[in-house]
Short mmCIF file of all heavy atoms in Angstrom, two decimals:
data_model
loop_
_atom_site.label_atom_id
_atom_site.label_comp_id
_atom_site.label_asym_id
_atom_site.label_seq_id
_atom_site.Cartn_x
_atom_site.Cartn_y
_atom_site.Cartn_z
N SER A 1 66.66 -1.28 80.76
CA SER A 1 66.17 -1.22 79.40
C SER A 1 65.61 0.17 79.09
O SER A 1 65.74 0.64 77.97
CB SER A 1 65.12 -2.29 79.16
OG SER A 1 64.02 -2.11 80.01
N TRP A 2 65.00 0.82 80.07
CA TRP A 2 64.51 2.17 79.83
C TRP A 2 65.66 3.13 79.64
O TRP A 2 65.58 4.06 78.86
CB TRP A 2 63.65 2.63 80.99
CG TRP A 2 62.25 2.12 80.95
CD1 TRP A 2 61.82 0.91 80.50
CD2 TRP A 2 61.11 2.83 81.37
NE1 TRP A 2 60.48 0.82 80.63
CE2 TRP A 2 60.00 1.98 81.16
CE3 TRP A 2 60.90 4.08 81.91
CZ2 TRP A 2 58.72 2.37 81.48
CZ3 TRP A 2 59.61 4.45 82.23
CH2 TRP A 2 58.54 3.59 82.00
N LEU A 3 66.75 2.88 80.34
CA LEU A 3 67.93 3.74 80.18
C LEU A 3 68.46 3.67 78.77
O LEU A 3 68.85 4.69 78.18
CB LEU A 3 69.01 3.35 81.18
CG LEU A 3 68.70 3.59 82.64
CD1 LEU A 3 69.79 3.03 83.52
CD2 LEU A 3 68.50 5.06 82.90
N ILE A 4 68.47 2.49 78.22
CA ILE A 4 68.93 2.33 76.84
C ILE A 4 67.96 3.02 75.89
O ILE A 4 68.37 3.69 74.94
CB ILE A 4 69.09 0.84 76.49
CG1 ILE A 4 70.19 0.21 77.36
CG2 ILE A 4 69.44 0.67 75.03
CD1 ILE A 4 70.26 -1.30 77.26
N ALA A 5 66.67 2.89 76.14
CA ALA A 5 65.67 3.52 75.28
C ALA A 5 65.75 5.04 75.35
O ALA A 5 65.48 5.73 74.36
CB ALA A 5 64.28 3.06 75.65
N PHE A 6 66.14 5.59 76.50
CA PHE A 6 66.25 7.03 76.61
C PHE A 6 67.41 7.59 75.79
O PHE A 6 67.48 8.79 75.52
CB PHE A 6 66.38 7.47 78.07
CG PHE A 6 65.08 7.42 78.81
CD1 PHE A 6 65.05 7.01 80.12
CD2 PHE A 6 63.90 7.78 78.20
CE1 PHE A 6 63.85 6.96 80.82
CE2 PHE A 6 62.69 7.74 78.88
CZ PHE A 6 62.67 7.33 80.18
N LEU A 7 68.32 6.72 75.36
CA LEU A 7 69.36 7.17 74.45
C LEU A 7 68.76 7.62 73.12
O LEU A 7 69.33 8.47 72.43
CB LEU A 7 70.38 6.05 74.19
CG LEU A 7 71.31 5.73 75.35
CD1 LEU A 7 72.16 4.51 75.02
CD2 LEU A 7 72.20 6.91 75.64
N PHE A 8 67.62 7.05 72.76
CA PHE A 8 66.93 7.50 71.54
C PHE A 8 66.56 8.97 71.66
O PHE A 8 66.68 9.73 70.70
CB PHE A 8 65.68 6.68 71.27
CG PHE A 8 65.94 5.23 70.97
CD1 PHE A 8 64.98 4.29 71.26
CD2 PHE A 8 67.11 4.80 70.39
CE1 PHE A 8 65.19 2.96 70.97
CE2 PHE A 8 67.34 3.48 70.09
CZ PHE A 8 66.37 2.55 70.39
N TRP A 9 66.07 9.37 72.83
CA TRP A 9 65.71 10.77 73.05
C TRP A 9 66.97 11.64 72.98
O TRP A 9 66.96 12.72 72.38
CB TRP A 9 65.07 10.97 74.42
CG TRP A 9 63.65 10.58 74.46
CD1 TRP A 9 63.15 9.45 75.03
CD2 TRP A 9 62.52 11.29 73.94
NE1 TRP A 9 61.79 9.41 74.89
CE2 TRP A 9 61.38 10.53 74.22
CE3 TRP A 9 62.39 12.49 73.26
CZ2 TRP A 9 60.11 10.94 73.84
CZ3 TRP A 9 61.13 12.89 72.89
CH2 TRP A 9 60.01 12.13 73.18
N ALA A 10 68.03 11.18 73.60
CA ALA A 10 69.26 11.96 73.64
C ALA A 10 69.86 12.14 72.25
O ALA A 10 70.49 13.16 71.98
CB ALA A 10 70.28 11.29 74.56
N ARG A 11 69.65 11.18 71.38
CA ARG A 11 70.21 11.25 70.04
C ARG A 11 69.20 11.77 69.02
O ARG A 11 69.39 11.61 67.83
CB ARG A 11 70.72 9.88 69.62
CG ARG A 11 71.88 9.42 70.45
CD ARG A 11 72.29 8.03 70.04
NE ARG A 11 73.41 7.58 70.83
CZ ARG A 11 74.66 7.56 70.40
NH1 ARG A 11 74.94 7.97 69.18
NH2 ARG A 11 75.63 7.14 71.17
N ALA A 12 68.12 12.34 69.50
CA ALA A 12 67.06 12.90 68.64
C ALA A 12 66.48 11.85 67.71
O ALA A 12 66.20 12.11 66.55
CB ALA A 12 67.58 14.10 67.87
N MET A 13 66.29 10.65 68.22
CA MET A 13 65.68 9.56 67.46
C MET A 13 64.27 9.32 68.02
O MET A 13 63.92 8.20 68.39
CB MET A 13 66.54 8.30 67.57
CG MET A 13 67.95 8.48 67.06
SD MET A 13 69.00 7.07 67.39
CE MET A 13 68.42 5.94 66.15
N THR A 14 63.49 10.37 68.07
CA THR A 14 62.19 10.28 68.72
C THR A 14 61.22 9.37 67.96
O THR A 14 60.42 8.70 68.59
CB THR A 14 61.55 11.66 68.87
OG1 THR A 14 61.51 12.31 67.61
CG2 THR A 14 62.34 12.51 69.84
N SER A 15 61.30 9.34 66.64
CA SER A 15 60.37 8.47 65.90
C SER A 15 60.64 7.00 66.21
O SER A 15 59.69 6.23 66.40
CB SER A 15 60.46 8.72 64.40
OG SER A 15 61.77 8.46 63.93
N LEU A 16 61.91 6.61 66.31
CA LEU A 16 62.23 5.23 66.68
C LEU A 16 61.77 4.94 68.09
O LEU A 16 61.21 3.87 68.36
CB LEU A 16 63.73 4.98 66.54
CG LEU A 16 64.22 3.59 66.90
CD1 LEU A 16 63.56 2.54 66.00
CD2 LEU A 16 65.73 3.52 66.79
N TYR A 17 61.96 5.88 69.01
CA TYR A 17 61.53 5.71 70.39
C TYR A 17 60.02 5.51 70.47
O TYR A 17 59.55 4.60 71.15
CB TYR A 17 61.95 6.93 71.22
CG TYR A 17 61.49 6.86 72.65
CD1 TYR A 17 62.18 6.07 73.56
CD2 TYR A 17 60.37 7.55 73.09
CE1 TYR A 17 61.76 5.99 74.88
CE2 TYR A 17 59.95 7.48 74.40
CZ TYR A 17 60.65 6.70 75.28
OH TYR A 17 60.23 6.63 76.58
N ILE A 18 59.26 6.32 69.74
CA ILE A 18 57.80 6.21 69.76
C ILE A 18 57.35 4.89 69.17
O ILE A 18 56.46 4.23 69.72
CB ILE A 18 57.17 7.41 69.03
CG1 ILE A 18 57.39 8.68 69.85
CG2 ILE A 18 55.68 7.18 68.78
CD1 ILE A 18 57.02 9.96 69.14
N ILE A 19 57.96 4.47 68.07
CA ILE A 19 57.60 3.19 67.44
C ILE A 19 57.86 2.03 68.40
O ILE A 19 57.02 1.14 68.55
CB ILE A 19 58.37 3.01 66.12
CG1 ILE A 19 57.85 3.99 65.07
CG2 ILE A 19 58.27 1.58 65.62
CD1 ILE A 19 58.71 4.08 63.84
N VAL A 20 59.01 2.05 69.04
CA VAL A 20 59.36 0.97 69.98
C VAL A 20 58.40 0.96 71.16
O VAL A 20 57.92 -0.11 71.57
CB VAL A 20 60.83 1.12 70.44
CG1 VAL A 20 61.13 0.21 71.62
CG2 VAL A 20 61.78 0.83 69.30
N GLU A 21 58.10 2.11 71.71
CA GLU A 21 57.20 2.17 72.87
C GLU A 21 55.78 1.72 72.51
O GLU A 21 55.15 0.98 73.28
CB GLU A 21 57.17 3.58 73.46
CG GLU A 21 58.46 3.96 74.16
CD GLU A 21 58.79 3.05 75.33
OE1 GLU A 21 57.89 2.73 76.12
OE2 GLU A 21 59.96 2.67 75.45
N VAL A 22 55.28 2.13 71.37
CA VAL A 22 53.94 1.71 70.95
C VAL A 22 53.92 0.21 70.70
O VAL A 22 52.98 -0.49 71.10
CB VAL A 22 53.48 2.50 69.70
CG1 VAL A 22 52.25 1.90 69.08
CG2 VAL A 22 53.24 3.95 70.06
N ALA A 23 54.96 -0.31 70.05
CA ALA A 23 55.02 -1.74 69.76
C ALA A 23 55.04 -2.56 71.05
O ALA A 23 54.32 -3.57 71.17
CB ALA A 23 56.24 -2.06 68.91
N PHE A 24 55.83 -2.15 72.01
CA PHE A 24 55.91 -2.92 73.25
C PHE A 24 54.73 -2.69 74.16
O PHE A 24 54.42 -3.54 74.99
CB PHE A 24 57.25 -2.70 73.95
CG PHE A 24 58.32 -3.56 73.34
CD1 PHE A 24 59.21 -3.03 72.42
CD2 PHE A 24 58.40 -4.90 73.64
CE1 PHE A 24 60.16 -3.82 71.83
CE2 PHE A 24 59.36 -5.70 73.06
CZ PHE A 24 60.25 -5.16 72.15
N SER A 25 54.04 -1.59 74.02
CA SER A 25 52.77 -1.42 74.75
C SER A 25 51.73 -2.38 74.20
O SER A 25 50.98 -3.00 74.96
CB SER A 25 52.28 0.02 74.62
OG SER A 25 53.16 0.89 75.28
N ALA A 26 51.69 -2.52 72.88
CA ALA A 26 50.77 -3.48 72.26
C ALA A 26 51.14 -4.91 72.64
O ALA A 26 50.26 -5.74 72.92
CB ALA A 26 50.78 -3.31 70.75
N THR A 27 52.43 -5.19 72.69
CA THR A 27 52.88 -6.52 73.10
C THR A 27 52.47 -6.82 74.53
O THR A 27 52.05 -7.93 74.84
CB THR A 27 54.41 -6.63 72.97
OG1 THR A 27 54.80 -6.30 71.65
CG2 THR A 27 54.90 -8.03 73.29
N PHE A 28 52.56 -5.82 75.40
CA PHE A 28 52.15 -6.00 76.79
C PHE A 28 50.66 -6.32 76.88
O PHE A 28 50.26 -7.21 77.62
CB PHE A 28 52.49 -4.77 77.62
CG PHE A 28 51.90 -4.81 78.99
CD1 PHE A 28 52.27 -5.79 79.89
CD2 PHE A 28 50.97 -3.87 79.40
CE1 PHE A 28 51.74 -5.85 81.16
CE2 PHE A 28 50.42 -3.91 80.65
CZ PHE A 28 50.80 -4.90 81.54
N VAL A 29 49.87 -5.61 76.12
CA VAL A 29 48.42 -5.86 76.13
C VAL A 29 48.13 -7.28 75.66
O VAL A 29 47.35 -8.01 76.29
CB VAL A 29 47.67 -4.82 75.27
CG1 VAL A 29 46.22 -5.22 75.07
CG2 VAL A 29 47.77 -3.45 75.90
N LEU A 30 48.75 -7.69 74.57
CA LEU A 30 48.52 -9.04 74.04
C LEU A 30 48.99 -10.12 75.00
O LEU A 30 48.29 -11.12 75.22
CB LEU A 30 49.22 -9.20 72.69
CG LEU A 30 48.66 -8.34 71.56
CD1 LEU A 30 49.52 -8.48 70.32
CD2 LEU A 30 47.22 -8.71 71.27
N LEU A 31 50.17 -9.93 75.59
CA LEU A 31 50.67 -10.92 76.55
C LEU A 31 49.80 -10.96 77.81
O LEU A 31 49.59 -12.03 78.40
CB LEU A 31 52.12 -10.62 76.92
CG LEU A 31 53.15 -10.92 75.85
CD1 LEU A 31 54.52 -10.41 76.26
CD2 LEU A 31 53.22 -12.42 75.56
N SER A 32 49.28 -9.82 78.23
CA SER A 32 48.39 -9.79 79.40
C SER A 32 47.08 -10.50 79.11
O SER A 32 46.59 -11.27 79.94
CB SER A 32 48.12 -8.35 79.81
OG SER A 32 49.29 -7.77 80.31
N ILE A 33 46.50 -10.27 77.93
CA ILE A 33 45.26 -10.96 77.57
C ILE A 33 45.49 -12.46 77.53
O ILE A 33 44.69 -13.24 78.07
CB ILE A 33 44.73 -10.43 76.22
CG1 ILE A 33 44.23 -9.00 76.38
CG2 ILE A 33 43.63 -11.33 75.67
CD1 ILE A 33 43.92 -8.31 75.07
N TYR A 34 46.57 -12.86 76.91
CA TYR A 34 46.91 -14.29 76.83
C TYR A 34 47.13 -14.86 78.24
O TYR A 34 46.61 -15.92 78.57
CB TYR A 34 48.16 -14.49 75.98
CG TYR A 34 48.66 -15.90 75.94
CD1 TYR A 34 48.04 -16.86 75.17
CD2 TYR A 34 49.76 -16.28 76.69
CE1 TYR A 34 48.50 -18.16 75.14
CE2 TYR A 34 50.24 -17.57 76.68
CZ TYR A 34 49.60 -18.51 75.90
OH TYR A 34 50.07 -19.79 75.87
N GLY A 35 47.91 -14.14 79.05
CA GLY A 35 48.21 -14.64 80.39
C GLY A 35 46.98 -14.72 81.29
O GLY A 35 46.80 -15.71 82.01
N VAL A 36 46.12 -13.73 81.23
CA VAL A 36 44.92 -13.73 82.06
C VAL A 36 43.97 -14.84 81.63
O VAL A 36 43.34 -15.49 82.48
CB VAL A 36 44.22 -12.35 82.03
CG1 VAL A 36 42.85 -12.41 82.64
CG2 VAL A 36 45.08 -11.32 82.75
N SER A 37 43.89 -15.09 80.34
CA SER A 37 42.96 -16.14 79.88
C SER A 37 43.41 -17.53 80.31
O SER A 37 42.58 -18.41 80.50
CB SER A 37 42.80 -16.07 78.37
OG SER A 37 44.00 -16.40 77.72
N TYR A 38 44.71 -17.73 80.48
CA TYR A 38 45.20 -19.06 80.86
C TYR A 38 45.57 -19.18 82.33
O TYR A 38 45.46 -20.26 82.90
CB TYR A 38 46.42 -19.45 80.01
CG TYR A 38 46.04 -19.84 78.61
CD1 TYR A 38 46.17 -18.96 77.56
CD2 TYR A 38 45.52 -21.10 78.33
CE1 TYR A 38 45.81 -19.31 76.27
CE2 TYR A 38 45.15 -21.47 77.05
CZ TYR A 38 45.30 -20.56 76.03
OH TYR A 38 44.93 -20.92 74.76
N TYR A 39 46.05 -18.10 82.95
CA TYR A 39 46.56 -18.20 84.32
C TYR A 39 45.86 -17.29 85.31
O TYR A 39 46.28 -17.18 86.47
CB TYR A 39 48.07 -17.88 84.33
CG TYR A 39 48.87 -18.81 83.47
CD1 TYR A 39 49.39 -18.39 82.25
CD2 TYR A 39 49.11 -20.12 83.86
CE1 TYR A 39 50.12 -19.24 81.44
CE2 TYR A 39 49.85 -20.99 83.07
CZ TYR A 39 50.34 -20.53 81.86
OH TYR A 39 51.06 -21.38 81.07
N GLY A 40 44.83 -16.61 84.89
CA GLY A 40 44.12 -15.71 85.79
C GLY A 40 44.90 -14.43 86.00
O GLY A 40 45.66 -13.98 85.14
N LEU A 41 44.72 -13.83 87.15
CA LEU A 41 45.35 -12.54 87.44
C LEU A 41 46.87 -12.63 87.46
O LEU A 41 47.55 -11.67 87.08
CB LEU A 41 44.84 -12.01 88.78
CG LEU A 41 45.13 -10.55 89.09
CD1 LEU A 41 44.62 -9.64 87.99
CD2 LEU A 41 44.52 -10.17 90.41
N GLN A 42 47.41 -13.76 87.85
CA GLN A 42 48.87 -13.92 87.83
C GLN A 42 49.41 -13.87 86.40
O GLN A 42 50.57 -13.52 86.18
CB GLN A 42 49.27 -15.24 88.48
CG GLN A 42 49.05 -15.25 89.97
CD GLN A 42 49.44 -16.58 90.57
OE1 GLN A 42 49.56 -17.59 89.87
NE2 GLN A 42 49.63 -16.59 91.88
N GLY A 43 48.59 -14.20 85.44
CA GLY A 43 49.00 -14.14 84.04
C GLY A 43 49.33 -12.73 83.59
O GLY A 43 50.16 -12.53 82.71
N SER A 44 48.68 -11.74 84.19
CA SER A 44 48.99 -10.35 83.87
C SER A 44 50.41 -10.01 84.31
O SER A 44 51.16 -9.36 83.58
CB SER A 44 48.00 -9.41 84.55
OG SER A 44 48.32 -8.08 84.30
N ALA A 45 50.79 -10.44 85.49
CA ALA A 45 52.16 -10.22 85.97
C ALA A 45 53.16 -10.98 85.12
O ALA A 45 54.25 -10.48 84.83
CB ALA A 45 52.27 -10.63 87.43
N MET A 46 52.78 -12.17 84.71
CA MET A 46 53.67 -12.96 83.85
C MET A 46 53.84 -12.29 82.49
O MET A 46 54.94 -12.26 81.93
CB MET A 46 53.11 -14.37 83.68
CG MET A 46 53.12 -15.16 84.98
SD MET A 46 52.06 -16.60 84.95
CE MET A 46 52.99 -17.71 83.94
N GLY A 47 52.77 -11.72 81.97
CA GLY A 47 52.84 -10.98 80.71
C GLY A 47 53.71 -9.74 80.83
O GLY A 47 54.48 -9.43 79.92
N PHE A 48 53.60 -9.05 81.96
CA PHE A 48 54.42 -7.87 82.21
C PHE A 48 55.90 -8.25 82.24
O PHE A 48 56.74 -7.60 81.61
CB PHE A 48 54.01 -7.24 83.54
CG PHE A 48 54.77 -6.00 83.89
CD1 PHE A 48 54.42 -4.78 83.36
CD2 PHE A 48 55.84 -6.05 84.78
CE1 PHE A 48 55.12 -3.63 83.69
CE2 PHE A 48 56.53 -4.93 85.12
CZ PHE A 48 56.18 -3.70 84.57
N ALA A 49 56.22 -9.32 82.97
CA ALA A 49 57.61 -9.76 83.07
C ALA A 49 58.14 -10.21 81.71
O ALA A 49 59.26 -9.84 81.33
CB ALA A 49 57.72 -10.90 84.08
N ALA A 50 57.36 -10.97 80.98
CA ALA A 50 57.80 -11.44 79.67
C ALA A 50 58.01 -10.26 78.72
O ALA A 50 58.98 -10.24 77.95
CB ALA A 50 56.77 -12.41 79.09
N ASN A 51 57.11 -9.29 78.77
CA ASN A 51 57.23 -8.12 77.90
C ASN A 51 58.53 -7.37 78.17
O ASN A 51 59.24 -6.99 77.24
CB ASN A 51 56.04 -7.19 78.10
CG ASN A 51 56.03 -6.05 77.12
OD1 ASN A 51 56.11 -6.26 75.92
ND2 ASN A 51 55.95 -4.85 77.63
N TYR A 52 58.88 -7.16 79.42
CA TYR A 52 60.08 -6.40 79.72
C TYR A 52 61.35 -7.21 79.50
O TYR A 52 62.41 -6.63 79.23
CB TYR A 52 60.02 -5.78 81.11
CG TYR A 52 59.28 -4.48 81.03
CD1 TYR A 52 57.94 -4.41 81.32
CD2 TYR A 52 59.91 -3.34 80.57
CE1 TYR A 52 57.24 -3.22 81.19
CE2 TYR A 52 59.23 -2.15 80.43
CZ TYR A 52 57.90 -2.10 80.74
OH TYR A 52 57.22 -0.92 80.59
N ILE A 53 61.28 -8.50 79.59
CA ILE A 53 62.44 -9.32 79.21
C ILE A 53 62.69 -9.19 77.71
O ILE A 53 63.83 -8.97 77.27
CB ILE A 53 62.23 -10.79 79.62
CG1 ILE A 53 62.30 -10.93 81.14
CG2 ILE A 53 63.26 -11.70 78.95
CD1 ILE A 53 61.86 -12.27 81.67
N ILE A 54 61.63 -9.29 76.92
CA ILE A 54 61.75 -9.13 75.46
C ILE A 54 62.20 -7.71 75.13
O ILE A 54 63.07 -7.51 74.26
CB ILE A 54 60.41 -9.47 74.78
CG1 ILE A 54 60.07 -10.94 74.99
CG2 ILE A 54 60.47 -9.14 73.29
CD1 ILE A 54 58.64 -11.29 74.62
N TYR A 55 61.65 -6.73 75.81
CA TYR A 55 62.01 -5.32 75.59
C TYR A 55 63.49 -5.10 75.87
O TYR A 55 64.20 -4.45 75.09
CB TYR A 55 61.16 -4.45 76.51
CG TYR A 55 61.36 -2.97 76.38
CD1 TYR A 55 60.78 -2.26 75.34
CD2 TYR A 55 62.10 -2.26 77.31
CE1 TYR A 55 60.94 -0.89 75.23
CE2 TYR A 55 62.27 -0.89 77.21
CZ TYR A 55 61.69 -0.22 76.17
OH TYR A 55 61.86 1.13 76.05
N PHE A 56 63.98 -5.65 76.96
CA PHE A 56 65.39 -5.50 77.33
C PHE A 56 66.30 -6.12 76.28
O PHE A 56 67.29 -5.51 75.87
CB PHE A 56 65.64 -6.13 78.70
CG PHE A 56 67.07 -6.03 79.16
CD1 PHE A 56 67.59 -4.81 79.53
CD2 PHE A 56 67.86 -7.15 79.20
CE1 PHE A 56 68.91 -4.72 79.94
CE2 PHE A 56 69.18 -7.07 79.61
CZ PHE A 56 69.72 -5.85 79.99
N ILE A 57 65.96 -7.31 75.82
CA ILE A 57 66.77 -7.98 74.81
C ILE A 57 66.79 -7.17 73.51
O ILE A 57 67.85 -6.98 72.90
CB ILE A 57 66.28 -9.42 74.58
CG1 ILE A 57 66.55 -10.26 75.84
CG2 ILE A 57 66.93 -10.05 73.36
CD1 ILE A 57 65.87 -11.61 75.84
N CYS A 58 65.64 -6.68 73.10
CA CYS A 58 65.57 -5.87 71.88
C CYS A 58 66.37 -4.59 72.02
O CYS A 58 67.08 -4.17 71.09
CB CYS A 58 64.13 -5.55 71.53
SG CYS A 58 63.23 -6.97 70.90
N MET A 59 66.29 -3.94 73.18
CA MET A 59 67.06 -2.71 73.39
C MET A 59 68.56 -2.98 73.38
O MET A 59 69.33 -2.15 72.88
CB MET A 59 66.67 -2.03 74.70
CG MET A 59 65.31 -1.38 74.68
SD MET A 59 65.20 -0.04 73.49
CE MET A 59 64.30 -0.81 72.18
N LEU A 60 68.98 -4.12 73.89
CA LEU A 60 70.40 -4.46 73.83
C LEU A 60 70.87 -4.61 72.39
O LEU A 60 71.94 -4.13 72.02
CB LEU A 60 70.68 -5.74 74.60
CG LEU A 60 70.68 -5.62 76.12
CD1 LEU A 60 70.93 -6.98 76.75
CD2 LEU A 60 71.74 -4.64 76.57
N PHE A 61 70.07 -5.28 71.56
CA PHE A 61 70.43 -5.43 70.15
C PHE A 61 70.48 -4.08 69.44
O PHE A 61 71.40 -3.81 68.67
CB PHE A 61 69.47 -6.37 69.43
CG PHE A 61 69.74 -7.82 69.69
CD1 PHE A 61 68.79 -8.60 70.31
CD2 PHE A 61 70.94 -8.40 69.33
CE1 PHE A 61 69.02 -9.94 70.55
CE2 PHE A 61 71.19 -9.74 69.57
CZ PHE A 61 70.23 -10.51 70.19
N VAL A 62 69.50 -3.23 69.71
CA VAL A 62 69.48 -1.91 69.07
C VAL A 62 70.68 -1.08 69.54
O VAL A 62 71.34 -0.43 68.74
CB VAL A 62 68.15 -1.18 69.38
CG1 VAL A 62 68.21 0.28 68.96
CG2 VAL A 62 67.00 -1.88 68.69
N PHE A 63 70.97 -1.14 70.82
CA PHE A 63 72.10 -0.38 71.36
C PHE A 63 73.41 -0.87 70.76
O PHE A 63 74.27 -0.07 70.38
CB PHE A 63 72.13 -0.49 72.88
CG PHE A 63 73.25 0.29 73.51
CD1 PHE A 63 73.20 1.67 73.57
CD2 PHE A 63 74.35 -0.37 74.04
CE1 PHE A 63 74.22 2.39 74.15
CE2 PHE A 63 75.38 0.34 74.62
CZ PHE A 63 75.32 1.72 74.67
N ARG A 64 73.57 -2.18 70.66
CA ARG A 64 74.79 -2.72 70.06
C ARG A 64 74.92 -2.30 68.61
O ARG A 64 76.01 -1.97 68.13
CB ARG A 64 74.81 -4.25 70.17
CG ARG A 64 75.05 -4.72 71.60
CD ARG A 64 75.11 -6.22 71.67
NE ARG A 64 76.27 -6.67 70.92
CZ ARG A 64 76.48 -7.94 70.60
NH1 ARG A 64 75.61 -8.86 70.95
NH2 ARG A 64 77.55 -8.29 69.93
N TYR A 65 73.81 -2.28 67.88
CA TYR A 65 73.82 -1.84 66.49
C TYR A 65 74.22 -0.36 66.40
O TYR A 65 75.04 0.02 65.57
CB TYR A 65 72.46 -2.07 65.85
CG TYR A 65 72.37 -1.52 64.45
CD1 TYR A 65 72.98 -2.16 63.38
CD2 TYR A 65 71.68 -0.34 64.19
CE1 TYR A 65 72.91 -1.65 62.10
CE2 TYR A 65 71.60 0.18 62.92
CZ TYR A 65 72.21 -0.48 61.88
OH TYR A 65 72.14 0.04 60.62
N MET A 66 73.65 0.46 67.27
CA MET A 66 73.97 1.88 67.26
C MET A 66 75.43 2.11 67.63
O MET A 66 76.10 2.96 67.04
CB MET A 66 73.07 2.64 68.24
CG MET A 66 71.66 2.80 67.78
SD MET A 66 70.54 3.51 69.02
CE MET A 66 71.53 4.70 69.85
N PHE A 67 75.94 1.37 68.61
CA PHE A 67 77.30 1.55 69.07
C PHE A 67 78.30 1.12 68.01
O PHE A 67 79.30 1.79 67.77
CB PHE A 67 77.52 0.79 70.38
CG PHE A 67 78.86 1.04 71.00
CD1 PHE A 67 79.16 2.28 71.53
CD2 PHE A 67 79.81 0.05 71.04
CE1 PHE A 67 80.39 2.52 72.10
CE2 PHE A 67 81.04 0.27 71.61
CZ PHE A 67 81.34 1.51 72.13
N ARG A 68 78.05 -0.01 67.35
CA ARG A 68 78.94 -0.47 66.28
C ARG A 68 78.98 0.52 65.14
O ARG A 68 80.02 0.78 64.57
CB ARG A 68 78.48 -1.82 65.75
CG ARG A 68 78.85 -2.96 66.62
CD ARG A 68 78.49 -4.25 65.94
NE ARG A 68 78.68 -5.36 66.85
CZ ARG A 68 78.10 -6.53 66.71
NH1 ARG A 68 77.28 -6.75 65.70
NH2 ARG A 68 78.31 -7.48 67.57
N LYS A 69 77.83 1.06 64.81
CA LYS A 69 77.74 2.00 63.70
C LYS A 69 78.52 3.29 64.03
O LYS A 69 79.15 3.87 63.17
CB LYS A 69 76.27 2.33 63.45
CG LYS A 69 75.99 3.00 62.17
CD LYS A 69 74.49 3.13 61.97
CE LYS A 69 74.16 3.67 60.62
NZ LYS A 69 72.72 3.81 60.42
N GLU A 70 78.49 3.69 65.28
CA GLU A 70 79.16 4.92 65.69
C GLU A 70 80.67 4.74 65.74
O GLU A 70 81.41 5.64 65.39
CB GLU A 70 78.65 5.34 67.07
CG GLU A 70 79.19 6.67 67.53
CD GLU A 70 78.56 7.07 68.84
OE1 GLU A 70 77.36 7.35 68.86
OE2 GLU A 70 79.29 7.07 69.85
N VAL A 71 81.13 3.57 66.17
CA VAL A 71 82.56 3.32 66.32
C VAL A 71 83.23 3.19 64.95
O VAL A 71 84.34 3.63 64.74
CB VAL A 71 82.81 2.06 67.17
CG1 VAL A 71 84.27 1.66 67.15
CG2 VAL A 71 82.34 2.29 68.59
N SER A 72 82.54 2.60 64.00
CA SER A 72 83.13 2.37 62.68
C SER A 72 83.36 3.62 61.90
O SER A 72 82.92 4.65 62.04
CB SER A 72 82.23 1.47 61.85
OG SER A 72 82.13 0.22 62.48
#
């Protein structure tokens, strides 16, 4: 997922890259707070895993959108 996100840098889409990174950093914090409050320290790891699964799925959608737009 980071490899896909680095395509933003390569294509000079730094504002989109920064927005995505800030959004998913905030999501990680929220998921960690939620996970720790319900599952203890293991909840932090669960929040980390959930965040990167969501991040990966979002990056796939963005990449597919960028690729379709370029091919057309």
Side-chain angles (χ1 to χ4, degrees):
S1 61
W2 279 34
L3 293 174
I4 296 170
F6 284 142
L7 287 174
F8 295 152
W9 281 105
R11 295 177 180 258
M13 301 172 76
T14 54
S15 60
L16 179 60
Y17 178 79
I18 291 170
I19 290 169
V20 168
E21 289 300 316
V22 168
F24 279 99
S25 294
T27 304
F28 171 63
V29 169
L30 294 174
L31 288 172
S32 292
I33 290 170
Y34 175 77
V36 168
S37 66
Y38 285 100
Y39 300 106
L41 193 55
Q42 290 179 342
S44 178
M46 294 163 74
F48 181 82
N51 187 53
Y52 276 96
I53 289 169
I54 296 167
Y55 182 79
F56 179 71
I57 292 168
C58 287
M59 287 297 103
L60 285 178
F61 281 118
V62 169
F63 181 73
R64 288 182 65 192
Y65 174 75
M66 287 173 37
F67 186 68
R68 282 186 188 158
K69 194 174 186 181
E70 185 176 292
V71 171
S72 297

